[in-house]
Amino acid sequence: MLYPKYDVIVVGAGHAGCEAAYSAAKMGAKVLLATMNLQTIAQMSCNPAMGGVAKGQILREIDALGGMSGIVTDKTMIQFRMLNRSKGPAMWSPRAQSDRMRFSETWRLALEQSPNVDFWQEMITGLVVKDGRVCGVKTAIGIEFETKAVILTNGTFLNGVIHIGDKQFGGGRMGESAAIGITADLVNLGFEAGRMKTGTPPRVDARTLNFEAMQIQHGDEDGGKFSFSDETQPLQKQRPCHITYTNSEVHDILKTGFERSPLFNGTIQGTGPRYCPSIEDKINRFSERNRHQIFVEPEGWETVEIYVNGFSSSLPEDVQYKALRKIEGFEKAKMFRPGYAIEYDYFPPTQLKPTLETRLVENLFFAGQINGTTGYEEAASQGLMAGINAFNKINEKAPFILGRSEAYIGVLIDDLIHKGTNEPYRMFTSRAEHRILLRQDNADIRLTEKGYQLGLAEEWRWKKLQEKQAQITELTKYIQKLSIAPEEVNEGLKALNSAPISQKLKAYKLMKRPELSIEDFKTFHTKQHEYLQKYDKLVREQVEILIKYDSYIQKEEKLAQKFNNLENIKIRDSVDFSQLKALSNEAREKLTKLRPTTLGQASRISGVSPADISVLMVYLDNVRK
């Protein structure tokens, strides 16, 4: 046999494809990673950054399960910031500015070090499907690779079209061709397809910018990182970013290109991301605003290439260039390349099972932008879950599904398969109803044991977590028992504008004050400082959160358990919803189409009312009797 047969073939080597290949291979599958260009593995197609609001939580969850994105981010970041520190810990979100070239290289080297991963550089143009099950892929030059499972992670390449003003040409990224053939194959198999749009801003030469005219944005002084492992360390030095603003003159110049804008003249049919609009869309929708914030972000340690975050555009390149030069600090800017919009095919994710396997074709999985999502982190998490479930499926193991109270990844996938999306889906903390439980600081506590049981997280990770939990328990008990006298703390409390105490008080009660942190206790007297210093900073932070928010956490856990009870009520595949006349017409239609496997899943489907859930609950109860 000229070409080997694989357990799993992953099509596409973006963030979803890399995590899918890495996870399946790490669990023991023989994997082929097929991509049109091996030089652009894990390419950061848009902004050179990882993490951010809710996205940082996802990245920590990937790492806790044993994925690679957190480690790669740590090894290649040039700046780290914890966003939303002024808010509660449920909102804290780590973000890293990355070195684009090193990020891609580090991911490729990580995959090359896996003996279970093979590579193939060529366009995949179709699938081989027999008796409702995928069993291979076809390449542009006519090769057929056999496999037990396929994971499609095609990103923006499926019939991709790039728009710059009135110019349109095929492409999945600037300088790279679109992927053709797969969409037609899937549609012929019965899949529903749609079009979406995204965009990217111009890149400019840092040597031509006046950074003195901009506001500097440093990283966190104490650094930070994403991975819970000891393989990476916080940054010792960081590169700053900068902030500047558009102005009314910039807006007036941009408006001169509106007639040639594919966004406004109907050329672009796909739906764009609501929460990351192009600059022309912003000045059109928010015409009352005379300026918009621009983040000036370096693309690496040494390169002079700058990412102009906030200036995504598909306007003609001459209009972009003229407008850029009217931004403060950009008066002499030289452009490396203009911004552009890209349209591409996606497949509504309601056609998927909770494992990301398609309902129509067995052992075929979708992950990333093919499911209508946007963002590296959302894509990577889907790739990880698809890789895990593809391995489990072909080895007749139980599916791996995360609940909404277990992980942001669970919220993401549950939203996609039960609610669908008609615009690029982006994760926010507001989408998670149990976000006080799904903090970035406790992702390892929530998920590392699961990753270890899967064979993804190493044993040393599991042991390290057990040690951390033991330290958290030990320090929490110490603070609960510790009594503090007024003379020990009143001077310190005064310095913090906190009310003094008149008699001995338990330390944990004092720590519940919002203005006090566990680090403040270290300043009160030497004994406490020495004792607290024995524990890692992350352990101290975890204990502080557990004490301060104890009542909120307990309340949220009870609420999550109430919802989880619905998840435990299974719905058999044999249930014929069309025969349940007490259900509303819309509920019968949606339930028949989406086939939820639990009552909890059914309750989150748009159009299924609480009354419909009550009907289902009574029916299922009668069936069990």
Side-chain angles (χ1 to χ4, degrees), residues 99-140:
D99 186 308
R100 181 191 300 275
M101 290 183 288
R102 292 183 182 179
F103 186 94
S104 180
E105 177 189 41
T106 303
W107 244 122
R108 175 168 175 167
L109 294 176
L111 289 165
E112 287 181 352
Q113 288 165 12
S114 172
N116 281 340
V117 177
D118 288 349
F119 301 87
W120 188 261
Q121 179 173 289
E122 193 189 349
M123 184 189 299
I124 302 300
T125 56
L127 303 172
V128 180
V129 178
K130 295 179 182 177
D131 300 322
R133 175 181 296 191
V134 70
C135 54
V137 298
K138 295 177 284 190
T139 77

Side-chain angles (χ1 to χ4, degrees), residues 478-485 488 504-507 528:
Y478 170 79
I479 293 175
Q480 287 173 336
K481 291 179 180 178
L482 178 66
S483 293
I484 297 181
E488 295 174 329
K504 277 192 172 185
L505 189 68
K506 290 292 184 181
Q528 287 177 23

